Amino acid sequence: MKPFKIPESVLVVIHTPALDVLLIERADAEHFWQSVTGSKDRLDEPLVETAVREVFEETGIRVANGTPVPAAALTDWQHEIQYNIYPRWAHRYAPGVTRNTEHWFGLCVPENTAVTLSPREHVAYAWLPWEAAAARCFSPSNGDAIRQLPLRVR
């Protein structure tokens, strides 16, 4: 049996300098478009480590010095929200866990950055202008994060 998910996660808004945003469509929920998200693997996992790991697992984009996307391209927005866990995914958490704390990050990548999806998790991706990306997200808070992008990159 898989261990329960830790109810603390990251949301990473991946974008280009022109503010085109990468959205990925969930494999387990048709038409559910989102930014990269994911929970900590262990309680003491630093949030930056969670963000770097999830970006690589879900998109194949490696965030590391010496690559086209250096560590400095990842920005901790110092913003967190709490939300009710969607009922369709509640079984992944320990009994009685109903809320998740999500920490927001931005990741600026070069134009034409290659994306390799994890087919177990996502079935499609799209680069969209930030306004269109915000409108396509199934999660209102994900849309809110993307709408903050122009202010965050100044």
Side-chain angles (χ1 to χ4, degrees), residues 10-133:
V10 298
L11 178 138
V12 184
V13 177
I14 300 174
H15 63 91
T16 67
L19 303 188
D20 288 331
V21 172
L22 176 65
L23 288 186
I24 48 184
E25 183 181 13
R26 294 184 69 105
D28 62 358
E30 192 177 18
H31 306 299
F32 275 44
W33 289 87
Q34 65 182 79
S35 294
V36 166
T37 63
S39 296
K40 287 180 160 189
D41 271 355
R42 58 183 202 282
L43 289 172
D44 66 345
E45 182 178 40
L47 292 167
V48 168
E49 186 178 315
T50 305
V52 168
R53 176 179 50 75
E54 288 292 339
V55 165
F56 182 70
E57 288 175 1
E58 295 186 11
T59 69
I61 298 170
R62 185 171 300 283
V63 178
N65 293 333
T67 72
V69 185
L74 181 69
T75 306
D76 183 343
W77 287 1
Q78 299 294 312
H79 185 85
E80 70 178 49
I81 63 162
Q82 284 202 339
Y83 64 85
N84 291 328
I85 295 166
Y86 286 84
R88 71 184 307 152
W89 294 301
H91 67 279
R92 297 177 178 176
Y93 297 87
V97 174
T98 60
R99 308 234 341 129
N100 183 73
T101 301
E102 180 177 79
H103 304 268
W104 293 357
F105 288 79
L107 178 64
C108 187
V109 300
E111 302 284 341
N112 302 314
T113 293
V115 174
T116 304
L117 296 177
S118 168
R120 185 175 56 80
E121 293 190 64
H122 299 95
V123 296
Y125 71 90
W127 289 98
L128 299 169
W130 68 268
E131 301 98 327

